[in-house]
Amino acid sequence: ALLTVAGGGTGAAVALHYDSTAGQQRRLAVAGQVAQELVGQAGQISASDPQLALQLATAAYAISPGTKAQAGLFNTLTGTPFAGTVKAAAGFVTSVAYAPRGSLLAVAGLNSVQLFDVADPSRPRLLTTLAQPDQQGQVTAVAFSPSGQTLATMGQGVDLFDVADPAHATQLGSQLATGPVEPSALAFSPDGKTLAIVADDVELGNITDSAAPAQVSTYPDPDENDYPPIAFSPDGHLLAIPGPTDNT
């Protein structure tokens, strides 16, 4: 309830501010209590149901992102089979992608893309670092084909790699040139024959013959978005890209 106010507008303003602050403090206290209970429940079931424990700990941090919830989330992560850390060769990560089968992870950074075996997520194992002599600067995007046997990487251009044997990945054919390094996105069509590339423009590459990829069309990026999401329809006939004023 509001405090009783005697006097003019200044007193009223102070009273309203006091009530608002008190209400906010109560909400924060309740959120902290709920988060603490969720962290406790996560700890109790971390061994029997690690997936649910992780969900509870994540919810706790979302409700009350304080040090206690953060510590609870960290403890849950490091105490379950979902814990695991992959360190990029250059010290930072710009893009990641899982192969469809889920046990292979591509990690992009400065001038490099590393492939990790993550079948055991608590012990990721480096398989190889892809040589990319044409890439100057950071690799900004990586994407696996639907079959999981081809990896596309983007820096100053787009390179394709045969990753059927990830430990002995090899570069395929010539590079699809896209100009200077820009924040970018890549997407394979469902049949794996077309690669959508977003840099300054939206480009479509024909990779039916992955040893000789060819650019087939270019469209201006309608939104000039720095990190534009793109997606093919399930039949591969449509490509969705963001447009101006929140249109697609």
Side-chain angles (χ1 to χ4, degrees):
L2 290 175
L3 294 177
T4 302
V5 178
T10 302
V14 171
L16 288 169
H17 176 72
Y18 178 85
D19 181 76
S20 175
T21 301
Q24 183 180 15
Q25 290 176 342
R26 285 194 296 271
R27 288 191 294 272
L28 290 175
V30 171
Q33 183 178 357
V34 172
Q36 189 172 355
E37 291 176 358
L38 291 176
V39 168
Q41 293 174 13
Q44 292 173 4
I45 65 171
S46 60
S48 60
D49 194 341
Q51 185 172 10
L52 180 56
L54 183 58
Q55 291 173 344
L56 291 175
T58 303
Y61 184 70
I63 292 171
S64 180
T67 54
K68 290 184 178 179
Q70 185 179 33
L73 178 57
F74 176 80
N75 291 336
T76 303
L77 279 169
T78 56
T80 71
F82 297 97
T85 301
V86 172
K87 185 176 181 180
F92 65 92
V93 173
T94 57
S95 181
V96 295
Y98 272 106
R101 60 181 179 271
S103 60
L104 181 64
L105 177 68
V107 179
L110 184 64
N111 286 329
S112 69
V113 175
Q114 296 171 292
L115 297 180
F116 289 87
D117 180 346
V118 290
D120 179 356
S122 66
R123 295 179 177 83
R125 182 169 58 92
L126 177 63
L127 297 174
T128 189
T129 298
L130 302 180
Q132 297 190 287
D134 296 330
Q135 305 290 20
Q136 301 298 321
Q138 67 185 28
V139 179
T140 54
V142 288
F144 283 97
S145 65
S147 68
Q149 296 191 5
T150 303
L151 174 70
T153 70
M154 183 172 182
Q156 288 193 338
V158 175
D159 289 310
L160 299 176
F161 291 86
D162 181 347
V163 292
D165 180 359
H168 302 91
T170 56
Q171 189 168 352
L172 296 168
S174 58
Q175 186 184 70
L176 280 168
T178 60
V181 176
E182 293 288 344
S184 54
L186 297 168
F188 280 90
S189 61
D191 62 7
K193 296 180 180 179
T194 303
L195 180 65
I197 306 162
V198 180
D200 289 336
D201 298 311
V202 179
E203 303 175 14
L204 295 180
N206 182 347
I207 55 173
T208 303
D209 180 359
S210 56
Q215 182 177 324
V216 293
S217 55
T218 302
Y219 307 93
D221 177 4
D223 198 29
E224 296 183 351
N225 193 331
D226 282 346
Y227 291 91
I230 53 175
F232 279 96
S233 62
D235 61 8
H237 293 166
L238 299 174
L239 176 67
I241 58 177
T245 63
D246 296 330
N247 292 325
T248 301

